[in-house]
Amino acid sequence: MNKKEKESWVIHLFFGITSLLMILPLLLVLIASLTDEQSILANGYSFFPEKFSLDAYHYLFILDPGVIFRSYGVTIIVTVVGTIVSLLLTAMLAYPLSRTTLPFRNAFAFFVFFTLLFNGGLVSWYLVYARFIDLRDTVWALIIPGLLLNGFNVLIMRTFFTTTIPPTMIEAAHIDGAGEARIFAQFVVPLSKPVFATIGLFNTIAYWNDWYNSLVFLSRAKFFSLQYMLNMSLLNIQFLSQNSQNTNAASLMQSTPQETMRMAMAIIGIGPILLAYPFFQKYFVKGLTIGAIKG
Amino acid sequence: MIDARQITSEFINEPVKKRSTIWKRVRQHRALYLMMLPAILYLLINNYLPMFGVIIAFKDINFTKGILHSEWVGFANFKYLFATTDAYVITRNTILYNLAFIIIGLITSVGIAILLNEIRSKISRFYQSALLLPYFISMVIVAYLLYGMLNPEYGFMNKTILPLLHIDPVYWYMEPKYWPLILILVNVWKGVGYSAIVYIASIVGIDQEYYEAAKIDGATKWQQIKHITIPLLVPIMTIMTLLAVGRIFYSDFGLFYQVPMNSGPLLPVTNTIDTYVYRGLMQLGDISMASAAGLYQSLVGFLLVLLSNYVVRKINRDNALF
């Protein structure tokens, strides 16, 4: 083995170990969720349990599916609606800002930019949504506060529009009699698929992973997002049975595998991301590179 | 950024003619303004309206009287806040954790970016995917993963690792002394893939001719890294660091609230300004105090952003934010 090969071996070893460190905590939880409760009570969470079992999933999906499916439903709806609306809002703000002919363009850009520098703090932000427009305990509380528009995304999109949409094309479309809305929908959007995919992905992840809005604005379990439901169950495993529509849930709980169920819930919460990850990972890396260019 | 003087002087010097042409241009673009309207309204409600709410920090809030009619108390809330030890603890925690995150994050992610760039094989795609994976996981799930490791009765540490080393089990969620290290590890674990990719993107952009010239001169790999790669990464390293410095008064609420599972005994090492404000608002109901802490955070944060932008501007004008 020559020196060069030796060096690359060391690097591969390093990345092999690092990659394992990234994945092992997840793997531990996955295996624990598939372990028999008795094995866990005896040996703790382990990568090599004595006995496997699907009891945790059986309970969550078949015996008492109410809580899980409801919060999944809430999260899916919120993610879909939130992503679409916020993508539209972002693009509809970023596109005019990219047009050099727009009067007061810089003033509006600063209006967006300033939100990144200074904020009024949690208290008054909370009061706006809790007292001024009362969104508490509605599904809107998961969609509207905070997540709908992010100044950074506006700046990324504006940069993309400025650098990829030729102004001469817009002028030509004007001369042909197309209105602004039409130019935007028929020329700009189709030419900007990469940035729409990137920002859409950012938004999807933000909505899917959000638990903060539930924590701050919701007190009843009806609209708890999946992540927040997981949070509650981590702190208090009884949470599931307390909020179940299944009247036998409390007695079912007595006989259920609580520790493995906790871990099964984590897997259920992360499942869709893990399944979709190989597909969007490539896109995301590209998007990050776009984002790294100054906005 | 808009130059207000220029616009007002335009109005003053040639009032009639200029105004009518500006007005005409505005009217011409009314479709574009209409397009922006929903987003502008949203920013007004979500971002600008709360800015006026900072007056709460100067009031003794009484909800039966309403925010506007509550009594002014001047700086009393701030005096009260800074008289407590809390103010010191949350400021210290917020700043020290952020400093650790910045320094350790910079070293690990630049190191990983350089090393990953050295391997030109298919498997580097796999490494990249694995490193980036934690970035997509929500803090709630991270809390679960850590719980799997640290649960006192069944966790992997207490049941498998510590017995191997003949160490007694540790009640992790009760022992503050371990948490600075744990939180730093979690932060690096979650974020290193993301920032490494930013650095990889700029390494890829480095002109190959530099390396070819260096190779002809007989430079070793290590010399190439030291004299070409790192110096050319310095601008982006500076920007990333200064941006982080500008946010040094803010902390990841999820990391400091969810990951330690809101455990009381850990508060001395997990309480930051963000978690303090949240607890003040939602759990203790001390709105004025929470608001005072929030304003302290926003103001100092704002000044730090301005300062770090000023420094970036001095170093390289193109990289400044404004």
Side-chain angles (χ1 to χ4, degrees):
Chain A
M1 203 191 288
N2 64 31
K3 194 172 167 240
K4 207 171 171 192
E5 275 173 5
K6 218 182 206 168
E7 264 172 23
S8 97
W9 249 102
V10 174
I11 296 179
H12 278 291
L13 190 69
F14 170 78
F15 278 109
I17 293 171
T18 323
S19 303
L20 270 184
L21 286 177
M22 297 289 157
I23 296 165
L24 281 183
L26 263 174
L27 200 63
L28 179 70
V29 166
L30 176 67
I31 292 173
S33 76
L34 294 167
T35 304
D36 183 67
E37 182 83 356
Q38 292 309 316
S39 307
I40 287 195
L41 296 184
N43 306 320
Y45 304 131
S46 159
F47 288 102
F48 307 101
E50 275 168 11
K51 199 177 155 205
F52 282 99
S53 144
L54 283 171
D55 282 355
Y57 294 95
H58 181 73
Y59 178 89
L60 286 172
F61 283 123
I62 296 172
L63 292 181
D64 186 29
V67 185
I68 290 277
F69 280 102
R70 190 181 52 205
S71 57
Y72 243 107
V74 168
T75 292
I76 289 171
I77 290 169
V78 164
T79 304
V80 169
V81 174
T83 302
I84 293 172
V85 175
S86 78
L87 202 51
L88 258 178
L89 276 185
T90 310
M92 280 164 59
L93 179 57
Y95 170 65
L97 290 182
S98 76
R99 291 280 299 271
T100 45
T101 53
L102 187 77
F104 306 115
R105 161 178 182 255
N106 289 330
F108 282 107
F110 183 73
F111 179 85
V112 175
F113 185 59
F114 189 69
T115 63
L116 299 175
L117 300 180
F118 187 76
N119 65 69
L122 170 66
V123 177
S124 40
W125 180 77
Y126 169 79
L127 290 176
V128 164
Y129 285 113
R131 305 242 161 198
F132 201 67
I133 0 172
D134 193 354
L135 292 183
R136 277 174 300 178
D137 284 321
T138 66
V139 74
W140 300 111
L142 300 182
I143 297 178
I144 296 173
L147 297 167
L148 213 44
L149 197 69
N150 175 323
F152 268 119
N153 293 349
V154 176
L155 296 179
I156 290 174
M157 261 202 172
R158 187 193 62 170
T159 309
F160 188 91
F161 292 145
T162 330
T163 49
T164 55
I165 312 284
T168 47
M169 193 205 78
I170 294 171
E171 229 160 273
H174 264 302
I175 293 167
D176 290 344
E180 295 288 1
R182 204 179 143 137
I183 294 174
F184 178 67
Q186 293 194 339
F187 293 98
V188 177
V189 175
L191 279 174
S192 310
K193 274 183 203 145
V195 81
F196 274 86
T198 306
I199 304 293
L201 215 52
F202 281 138
N203 290 338
T204 308
I205 297 289
Y207 275 104
W208 185 270
N209 279 346
D210 178 62
W211 43 268
Y212 191 67
N213 281 6
S214 300
L215 175 76
V216 173
F217 294 110
L218 301 189
S219 54
R220 289 182 298 134
K222 197 168 154 202
F223 295 121
F224 281 173
S225 69
L226 179 67
Q227 301 293 334
Y228 187 59
M229 193 272 302
L230 292 178
N231 172 36
M232 297 295 279
S233 310
L234 179 61
L235 297 178
N236 170 17
I237 194 78
Q238 307 295 334
F239 172 84
L240 270 188
S241 57
Q242 283 158 10
N243 285 286
S244 171
Q245 282 107 347
N246 186 337
T247 43
N248 290 324
S251 59
L252 267 176
M253 264 322 261
Q254 304 281 313
S255 58
T256 45
Q258 304 207 351
E259 287 304 322
T260 59
M261 209 158 81
R262 271 215 168 98
M263 296 299 121
M265 305 211 19
I267 294 303
I268 289 170
I270 201 178
I273 288 194
L274 283 188
L275 291 179
Y277 186 64
F279 302 102
F280 69 65
Q281 195 260 131
K282 211 173 95 192
Y283 244 128
F284 196 83
V285 173
K286 267 191 205 141
L288 277 184
T289 326
I290 297 176
I293 300 165
K294 190 185 153 225
Chain B
M1 199 189 300
I2 184 163
D3 187 343
R5 276 165 310 169
Q6 191 188 334
I7 286 170
T8 45
S9 76
E10 276 176 8
F11 277 113
I12 293 162
N13 292 339
E14 289 180 81
V16 184
K17 204 175 152 211
K18 271 276 175 171
R19 192 179 290 166
S20 69
T21 52
I22 281 186
W23 179 235
K24 218 173 129 191
R25 280 182 62 210
V26 168
R27 276 188 48 134
Q28 254 175 13
H29 290 91
R30 58 183 184 276
L32 290 178
Y33 288 119
L34 207 62
M35 215 184 257
M36 295 199 292
L37 188 65
I40 296 286
L41 282 179
Y42 178 74
L43 288 179
L44 276 177
I45 293 170
N46 188 72
N47 298 77
Y48 284 90
L49 203 53
M51 286 182 200
F52 295 104
V54 297
I55 59 164
I56 294 167
F58 303 98
K59 289 198 166 204
D60 178 21
I61 290 297
N62 179 342
F63 275 114
T64 53
K65 289 186 194 163
I67 293 169
L68 287 178
H69 297 107
S70 292
E71 255 170 78
W72 290 97
V73 292
F75 286 91
N77 292 324
F78 292 91
K79 274 187 200 143
Y80 197 56
L81 171 69
F82 289 109
T84 63
T85 51
D86 287 348
Y88 166 71
V89 169
I90 58 177
T91 308
R92 178 199 65 188
N93 286 350
T94 310
I95 293 178
L96 286 185
Y97 278 116
N98 272 319
L99 281 180
F101 294 166
I102 291 171
I103 296 166
I104 297 168
L106 184 71
I107 296 170
T108 51
S109 51
V110 170
I112 281 178
I114 290 174
L115 282 182
L116 202 55
N117 189 54
E118 289 302 317
I119 10 179
R120 303 240 178 257
S121 71
K122 277 225 164 111
I123 200 167
S124 68
R125 278 274 306 279
F126 167 78
Y127 297 150
Q128 208 176 8
S129 305
L131 283 163
L132 193 56
L133 180 63
Y135 181 75
F136 293 101
I137 298 175
S138 86
M139 273 300 174
V140 172
I141 304 288
V142 174
Y144 271 91
L145 301 185
L146 202 67
Y147 180 84
M149 291 286 168
L150 301 183
N151 177 325
E153 286 165 86
Y154 314 114
F156 191 66
M157 282 300 274
N158 280 1
K159 275 288 184 181
T160 306
I161 305 270
L162 294 185
L164 277 178
L165 306 168
H166 302 290
I167 300 174
D168 287 335
V170 174
Y171 283 84
W172 297 97
Y173 290 94
M174 309 285 233
E175 292 272 6
K177 64 181 172 194
Y178 301 109
W179 282 84
L181 184 64
I182 294 172
L183 290 173
I184 290 170
L185 284 177
V186 172
N187 180 272
V188 170
W189 180 80
K190 198 165 188 317
V192 72
Y194 178 91
S195 32
I197 281 174
V198 174
Y199 291 116
I200 289 171
S202 25
I203 292 178
V204 170
I206 295 175
D207 198 331
Q208 283 302 314
E209 281 178 23
Y210 289 118
Y211 294 106
E212 275 152 31
K215 268 183 224 156
I216 292 167
D217 289 344
T220 61
K221 248 304 61 104
W222 171 240
Q223 283 170 328
Q224 289 173 35
I225 291 170
K226 199 172 147 195
H227 296 292
I228 302 171
T229 315
I230 292 181
L232 287 174
L233 280 184
V234 164
I236 182 93
M237 280 157 64
T238 319
I239 301 311
M240 298 275 282
T241 305
L242 285 170
L243 283 178
V245 169
R247 296 201 53 82
I248 210 164
F249 251 60
Y250 294 88
S251 57
D252 185 336
F253 181 82
L255 179 64
F256 292 96
Y257 185 83
Q258 297 283 17
V259 173
M261 291 172 69
N262 192 19
S263 167
L266 302 182
L267 274 184
V269 296
T270 58
N271 211 3
T272 60
I273 303 177
D274 291 272
T275 56
Y276 178 82
V277 173
Y278 172 79
R279 288 195 183 93
L281 174 68
M282 306 301 279
Q283 291 171 0
L284 311 172
D286 194 346
I287 289 181
S288 306
M289 185 92 126
S291 188
L295 183 56
Y296 161 59
Q297 179 184 42
S298 296
L299 268 184
V300 181
F302 182 58
L303 292 176
L304 282 171
V305 173
L306 291 185
L307 187 72
S308 48
N309 187 67
Y310 174 79
V311 178
V312 180
R313 243 180 128 86
K314 283 271 157 197
I315 298 170
N316 182 349
R317 207 171 182 286
D318 288 341
N319 288 321
L321 281 168
F322 50 90

